[in-house]
Amino acid sequence: MIVYSSEVKAALAENLPLVALESTIITHGMPFPRNVETARQVEADIRSEGAVPATIALMDGKIMVGLEDHDLDRLAQAEDVMKCSRADLTFALSTGRFGATTVAATMMAAHAAGLKVFATGGIGGVHKGAEESFDISADLDELGRTPVCVVSAGAKALLDIPKTLEVLETKGVPVIAYGTEELPAFWSRESGLAAPYTLNSAKEIGALLKMRERFSDHGGVLIANPVPEPSQIPRNEMTGYIDAAIHKAELENVRGKDVTPFVLGAILELTRGRSLETNIALVRNNARLAARIAAELV
């Protein structure tokens, strides 16, 4: 059921560091050909740090771990691609549908394929108003159960970050800010919240992951890596865009899985494209850190 690209297969045989990548940024994040260009740039960033990228997607009833060039082009131009979390992964596989993996599904596939480190943009979490809507991302459950290190720029800032942190603590997930005492908030380097823990090097993070491996029932680890300062949108500015986008979603009665892509699209319009450029910068930054962490584990 798992198909490895030629590059990933060779890396496994030679025990080279590997970094998993999700595929929703390709299918649901931006239009063609920008999506392919970004995907290849992120893969190149990982190679520049001495690791091997493994973009994960569901194609033709298989879990693809690493995409050959022609497979990446097929996925980027495909229509009606499923956005797959834990609940959707087996449906897409059993029906042969193309599926782009979210954080949760990428963690599942990475663990099944033997990969320990995964780079993404930001994780899902507890949505604002979740006490009424019960809208909580499956990413949090996955982090609580699946032993993969997820390198992100924190939770997406449109979420209720304090509640997201509380859920992660309940599920036993260490949240480690990289090189900062304050938790980053995706597009912004600051959230106004103290980071639960701070580590300052890939070597320190690698030592933590090796210690976690000594426990048979451990789950994931979340690394929160601040977006590079020149690319950030400051928190006080970003808050206004987020509030306006969420209000628009409420007015249009957007619910469930549609909330996050709708709000992200509204933020893209409000920022006149700046949010996308920041998103690309932080994904690339996370990919480079993930590669350095993966190198500590081989």
Side-chain angles (χ1 to χ4, degrees):
M1 187 172 64
I2 297 177
V3 176
Y4 298 96
S5 70
S6 55
E7 184 182 24
V8 170
K9 192 180 296 184
L12 287 168
E14 298 173 29
N15 195 33
L16 299 177
L18 281 153
V19 176
L21 296 167
E22 63 168 279
S23 45
T24 52
I25 193 171
I26 300 169
T27 58
H28 293 76
M30 58 193 76
F32 181 85
R34 187 72 187 277
N35 54 356
V36 173
E37 293 167 357
T38 301
R40 290 194 168 122
Q41 182 62 69
V42 172
E43 290 190 343
D45 288 328
I46 289 171
R47 294 187 188 101
S48 73
E49 296 287 348
V52 175
T55 299
I56 293 175
L58 312 177
M59 301 176 73
D60 307 317
K62 303 291 184 183
I63 299 174
M64 312 296 286
V65 179
L67 296 179
E68 309 289 358
D69 281 346
H70 65 274
D71 287 327
L72 177 56
D73 288 331
R74 283 175 67 207
L75 182 68
Q77 299 180 68
E79 297 180 357
D80 195 29
V81 178
M82 288 183 65
K83 185 178 181 181
C84 293
S85 188
R86 171 172 277 270
D88 317 290
L89 190 145
T90 51
F91 182 90
L93 289 172
S94 65
T95 58
R97 292 271 301 275
F98 274 27
T101 54
T102 61
V103 169
T106 305
M107 289 182 72
M108 289 175 65
H111 181 51
L115 278 65
K116 299 178 180 180
V117 182
F118 160 39
T120 185
I123 66 162
V126 179
H127 282 260
K128 294 179 179 179
E131 62 272 16
E132 295 182 4
S133 68
F134 288 87
D135 192 353
I136 301 174
S137 171
D139 295 353
L140 303 186
D141 271 338
E142 208 61 48
L143 277 159
R145 67 157 66 93
T146 304
V148 171
C149 173
V150 179
V151 182
S152 74
K156 293 184 175 71
L158 55 93
L159 302 169
D160 188 322
I161 297 180
K163 287 187 176 67
T164 298
L165 278 178
E166 288 292 342
V167 172
L168 287 169
E169 181 181 16
T170 299
K171 294 184 179 299
V173 179
V175 178
I176 314 294
Y178 179 70
T180 176
E181 300 291 332
E182 184 170 350
L183 193 74
F186 198 63
W187 296 285
S188 310
R189 292 176 62 85
E190 298 86 23
S191 65
L193 299 170
Y197 300 103
T198 298
L199 292 175
N200 297 307
S201 69
K203 184 174 183 178
E204 290 178 318
I205 295 170
L208 168 68
L209 297 176
K210 290 173 184 176
M211 184 61 68
R212 292 275 287 181
E213 286 183 352
R214 299 179 67 174
F215 295 84
S216 60
D217 59 349
H218 69 295
V221 172
L222 179 63
I223 306 300
N225 183 30
V227 60
E229 190 164 0
S231 300
Q232 78 158 333
I233 301 176
R235 178 187 169 209
N236 57 355
E237 180 183 354
M238 200 65 223
T239 299
Y241 298 137
I242 293 169
D243 290 346
I246 291 174
H247 182 62
K248 184 178 180 182
E250 291 170 348
L251 288 176
E252 298 190 23
N253 199 34
V254 180
R255 294 286 182 269
K257 279 187 177 183
D258 297 329
V259 171
T260 296
F262 181 92
V263 171
L264 292 176
I267 290 171
L268 179 64
E269 292 180 10
L270 291 165
T271 61
R272 299 182 180 181
R274 283 174 65 204
S275 63
L276 177 59
E277 298 308 316
T278 299
N279 196 349
I280 292 171
L282 65 85
V283 170
R284 293 185 61 189
N285 191 46
N286 295 340
R288 291 188 290 266
L289 175 58
R292 295 194 295 272
I293 294 169
E296 295 293 331
L297 303 179
V298 297

